[in-house]
Amino acid sequence: MKTENVIEAKALTKKFGDFTAVNKISFEIKKGEIFGFLGANGAGKTTAMKMLIGISKPTSGQANVAGFDVYTQTENIKKNIGYMSQKFALYDDLTVRENITFFGGIYGLSRKRIKEKTQQLVSELGLEEIKHQLVGSLPLGWKQKLSFSVSLLHEPRIVFLDEPTGGVDPITRRQFWEMIYKAADRGTTIFVTTHYMDEAEYCDRVSIMVEGKIEALDTPKELKKQFKVDSMNDVFLRLARNIE
Amino acid sequence: MKTIAYIVQKEFKQIFRNKGMLPIIFILPILQLVILSNAATYEVKNIKFAYIDSDHTSTSRELVEKFNASTYFNVLADFDSHDQASSAMLAGDVDVILEIPNNFERHLLKEKKASLSLIINAIDGAAAGVESGYVNQIVQNYNQNIKTELMDASQKAVQPVSIVSIPSFWYNVTLDYKTFMVPGILVLLVTMITLFLSGMNIVREKEIGTLEQMNVTPIRKSQFIIGKLFPFWIIGMGLLTIGLILAKVIFNIPMVGSLLLLYGYTSIYILVVLGMGLFISNFTDTQQQAMFISWFFVVIFILMSGLFTPIESMPKWAQIITEFNPVKYFVEIVRMVLLKGSGPLDILPQVLKTLLYAIVMNGLAVWSYKKVS
């Protein structure tokens, strides 16, 4: 049985004036997949992601996210996705609980559901002691984990993570990836951009963007075979160097 | 509706948790009202007064005594000669010189009529007019038979030019400028605080990155905007309340008209200001930019509102510009309702213009707010 595609992009393009930030990228992502979206700084990852989450209109091409069109049905897309941006995006001046309540509330969860979710989330992340602390006072790693959990609050079909582990220590990164796996096991599709090549190894499939184009797309294993190298790091360097 | 409630709740928590913001919202307006209302006055007081008494009689001394007794004049010196007095005026030591001529008393007794000459520093023309009025008043109170004659500074040696004293001038003496200024300054603080706060609030979310997060949620544009602006609408109304209480308690400003009417108008007026704040925040990326642009508009609005200077004295083109100034309407209305007791029909033109302004401004703001770039 063929699993359904939750994201489909066909020749998706974004131009800013003469500059083509994203140049005809195409891919399909299946339900429950962890899709690594790699690329150097400025390769167009964030721009591509913004088109998929409905906050940037594509210049041309097509894309469907969770079955909705990125041109006309962005509000439907937004109901079905979670997003965690590069910048930390919870409110620093609200407490852990208040943040959960707020985001739960704006996604339309009932009071009762919010309470349950808060309880569950707080105990899962071990935040019992500090649930009344302002988020701004938490260490970065905790914030990131909390932020990820909040993006899953409304049980979206797809979660977009934009460099979620930037600046986080290795232990927290590992815990973070355990959380990602857990979410994927429950059937949530994960779309993640990263700079860490070891993280790329954790992904089911990986695409590598260079100067607005997708230059490689396959499982980490296949990519390594294809480029005849031992690590994703080498795959990345090989691709980036070819361009230079 | 529920979504809006969540946003409003969050905003209030954030506002009251912001230690830097609270004083701006509550302490500043109070200071502003108390200080500005006392400072922004057209009353001419502590006039630097000198005299030349060439008469040296009991009548002339008695007249000088009247000036001494007045709270408006500081009697600084008595000069022997005209030249001395002129150089003191040039040095800026005195502003008003009263010259009591020789035979002043005798003329008064014999001819039932006498003249005084008066020299006034008229660099500030308005103040000079007021000073002249004060002098006249004191002199006339003293003796109906004395007439002051104003000397033109350029030809002080030549014939004194007689001026007609204006009996109605005494209004200015008793008119309390605070009664005129306090309601105006109330407008100023409601406008400034709500504009700055609303403008900076949304830009702040842009700066810290949470606005992007909001744009990825299914919150509708209208929900977000209403949820964002409603708390500041409440704060604006709260400021009006604080201001009115202070105006009553500290300044004892008469409140002749209906407060309900004033609140009703203010509720529309604040919508204009909030729309402006949102509009500004849509076109700026940092709080500094938003602050700077808001400040620019606030200064123009205030100077062209008739708060300090009458609109009637502005050139025609400036008067046309003031038609687009919401602050002007609010200043007019506050003064009309509080001091004159104007009713709904009297203020209808201003209400309609403000309403139109609110619709246009908020329309523009909502239109320019984009969830998608």
Side-chain angles (χ1 to χ4, degrees):
Chain A
M1 194 185 89
K2 213 178 138 207
T3 32
E4 53 169 329
N5 287 330
V6 289
I7 302 179
E8 288 172 345
K10 226 177 250 158
L12 198 61
T13 302
K14 178 84 183 185
K15 287 182 182 166
F16 297 105
D18 288 338
F19 174 67
T20 307
V22 175
N23 194 353
K24 293 183 186 157
I25 58 170
S26 305
F27 52 85
E28 281 152 11
I29 301 172
K30 290 187 170 31
K31 184 173 185 287
E33 198 174 9
I34 301 176
F35 189 80
F37 203 58
L38 314 193
N41 290 324
K45 289 175 305 202
T46 303
T47 310
M49 193 182 233
K50 281 186 175 167
M51 288 190 279
L52 295 176
I53 60 178
I55 56 173
S56 175
K57 268 220 153 54
T59 312
S60 63
Q62 282 140 31
N64 278 310
V65 175
F68 298 106
D69 182 59
V70 292
Y71 289 95
T72 54
Q73 297 170 304
T74 53
E75 294 310 302
N76 286 322
I77 290 176
K78 287 169 187 175
K79 280 183 201 141
N80 287 289
I81 61 165
Y83 171 61
M84 180 183 162
S85 74
Q86 226 164 350
K87 278 193 196 172
F88 176 70
L90 296 180
Y91 289 97
D92 273 348
D93 45 3
L94 295 181
T95 66
V96 172
R97 251 191 64 181
E98 287 164 351
N99 264 297
I100 299 173
T101 308
F102 173 68
F103 281 98
I106 60 174
Y107 276 105
L109 271 60
S110 68
R111 289 262 167 206
K112 189 168 151 259
R113 191 93 186 95
I114 291 174
K115 232 179 199 163
E116 288 167 11
K117 276 279 178 189
T118 307
Q119 208 38 261
Q120 181 198 337
L121 213 151
V122 163
S123 67
E124 261 175 31
L125 292 177
L127 298 173
E128 195 56 50
E129 309 260 298
I130 52 161
K131 66 181 176 191
H132 292 300
Q133 261 186 40
L134 295 187
V135 163
S137 66
L138 301 182
L140 183 67
W142 292 41
K143 283 188 192 176
Q144 302 292 71
K145 284 193 276 184
L146 180 62
S147 191
F148 178 55
S149 305
V150 167
S151 70
L152 289 172
L153 216 51
H154 57 293
E155 293 166 358
R157 297 175 61 192
I158 310 155
V159 174
F160 290 85
L161 308 171
D162 195 2
E163 289 174 25
T165 54
V168 162
D169 67 73
I171 298 167
T172 312
R173 264 172 64 198
R174 166 161 237 131
Q175 291 169 341
F176 198 93
W177 274 90
E178 280 165 11
M179 289 172 71
I180 291 180
Y181 272 111
K182 238 189 208 169
D185 277 347
R186 286 195 296 256
T188 312
T189 306
I190 313 278
F191 185 100
V192 56
T193 73
T194 181
H195 278 309
Y196 298 106
M197 288 307 139
D198 58 327
E199 288 185 351
E201 313 258 5
Y202 303 149
C203 298
D204 294 329
R205 276 192 314 149
V206 162
S207 80
I208 299 180
M209 253 184 116
V210 182
E211 293 187 346
K213 286 191 187 130
I214 291 184
E215 291 293 335
L217 200 171
D218 215 324
T219 61
K221 205 172 149 194
E222 283 301 318
L223 284 177
K224 283 184 275 189
K225 213 192 271 173
Q226 186 187 332
F227 287 88
K228 300 187 182 69
V229 289
D230 296 330
S231 69
M232 280 305 294
N233 206 23
D234 291 334
V235 173
F236 189 80
L237 286 175
R238 197 55 74 86
L239 271 170
R241 225 168 259 155
N242 275 351
I243 295 303
E244 282 166 18
Chain B
M1 213 38 224
K2 253 172 72 187
T3 309
I4 296 175
Y6 277 109
I7 302 172
V8 170
Q9 192 187 9
K10 161 199 156 266
E11 287 303 320
F12 269 121
K13 274 186 187 142
Q14 288 182 306
I15 292 166
F16 286 101
R17 219 163 259 172
N18 192 334
K19 296 282 175 288
M21 219 50 146
L22 273 184
I24 295 182
I25 300 177
F26 294 105
I27 312 283
L28 238 59
I30 296 173
L31 282 180
Q32 202 178 23
L33 193 66
V34 174
I35 295 176
L36 279 187
S37 301
N38 278 302
T41 167
Y42 299 126
E43 274 179 273
V44 180
K45 277 185 177 169
N46 304 321
I47 302 161
K48 291 179 277 186
F49 179 83
Y51 61 94
I52 307 167
D53 186 357
S54 313
D55 194 37
H56 297 291
T57 59
S58 63
T59 311
S60 71
R61 274 191 295 274
E62 225 175 295
L63 179 60
V64 169
E65 215 24 66
K66 288 284 175 197
F67 283 94
N68 250 329
S70 158
T71 50
Y72 293 101
F73 292 94
N74 274 349
V75 179
L76 292 174
D78 121 47
F79 293 113
D80 294 330
S81 73
H82 214 88
D83 287 345
Q84 256 184 352
S86 303
S87 58
M89 171 85 80
L90 198 62
D93 294 332
V94 294
D95 282 332
V96 175
I97 302 168
L98 180 75
E99 194 174 344
I100 306 172
N102 230 336
N103 301 329
F104 173 69
E105 189 183 50
R106 195 195 300 166
H107 277 143
L108 197 59
L109 291 174
K110 268 191 166 171
E111 299 167 26
K112 303 280 177 217
K113 205 168 117 189
S115 289
L116 294 163
S117 76
L118 188 61
I119 303 170
I120 297 176
N121 170 7
I123 287 179
D124 180 346
V130 174
E131 286 160 0
S132 150
Y134 287 168
V135 172
N136 263 315
Q137 202 201 349
I138 289 179
V139 171
Q140 282 179 357
N141 278 350
Y142 174 63
N143 191 318
Q144 288 295 334
N145 299 326
I146 309 171
K147 195 170 140 202
T148 58
E149 289 182 17
L150 196 65
M151 283 183 67
D152 192 322
S154 59
Q155 38 176 320
K156 49 185 177 269
V158 199
Q159 291 244 311
V161 184
S162 73
I163 61 150
V164 188
S165 44
I166 308 154
S168 62
F169 207 69
W170 65 264
Y171 274 126
N172 245 343
V173 181
T174 48
L175 182 66
D176 191 351
Y177 271 94
K178 288 186 190 101
T179 305
F180 182 64
M181 288 311 294
V182 169
I185 288 168
L186 195 60
V187 168
L188 198 143
L189 72 90
V190 169
T191 308
M192 277 173 59
I193 304 282
T194 44
L195 180 63
F196 291 163
L197 287 181
S198 64
M200 282 166 62
N201 179 274
I202 292 173
V203 179
R204 180 164 170 268
E205 292 227 15
K206 252 190 216 177
E207 271 183 8
I208 57 180
T210 44
L211 191 65
E212 189 181 84
Q213 192 71 46
M214 288 301 104
N215 289 344
V216 182
T217 68
I219 294 184
R220 279 204 300 277
K221 207 158 107 166
S222 57
Q223 292 173 329
F224 183 71
I225 290 172
I226 294 172
K228 271 298 210 189
L229 296 185
F230 182 70
F232 295 105
W233 187 85
I234 296 279
I235 286 176
M237 296 303 259
L239 280 171
L240 178 72
T241 310
I242 296 176
L244 284 174
I245 293 172
L246 288 179
K248 190 77 209 166
V249 173
I250 300 184
F251 299 105
N252 196 26
I253 303 300
M255 296 179 186
V256 186
S258 149
L259 285 183
L260 192 70
L261 187 62
L262 188 59
Y263 272 92
Y265 174 79
T266 311
S267 65
I268 304 173
Y269 172 78
I270 296 177
L271 292 181
V272 178
V273 179
L274 293 179
M276 241 172 235
L278 178 62
F279 190 65
I280 290 171
S281 68
N282 286 343
F283 290 99
T284 48
D285 294 318
T286 64
Q287 293 186 69
Q288 283 101 316
Q289 288 173 358
M291 192 70 192
F292 188 80
I293 293 176
S294 311
W295 187 251
F296 174 79
F297 280 108
V298 160
V299 169
I300 291 180
F301 283 159
I302 287 172
L303 289 181
M304 300 193 81
S305 67
L307 177 57
F308 296 111
T309 47
I311 288 171
E312 296 76 35
S313 355
M314 294 175 190
K316 192 78 198 139
W317 59 266
Q319 291 193 27
I320 293 169
I321 293 177
T322 64
E323 286 293 309
F324 297 94
N325 183 356
V327 180
K328 168 190 146 173
Y329 298 122
F330 196 14
V331 168
E332 280 174 7
I333 294 222
V334 172
R335 283 177 180 160
M336 282 169 84
V337 172
L338 283 188
L339 309 181
K340 275 166 78 180
S342 303
L345 278 179
D346 304 317
I347 64 168
L348 193 63
Q350 281 93 335
V351 172
L352 290 179
K353 282 178 194 169
T354 309
L355 193 63
L356 182 71
Y357 212 122
I359 294 169
V360 170
M361 207 61 236
N362 283 286
L364 277 175
V366 171
W367 167 77
S368 62
Y369 178 83
K370 295 234 155 44
K371 274 184 87 175
V372 180
S373 59

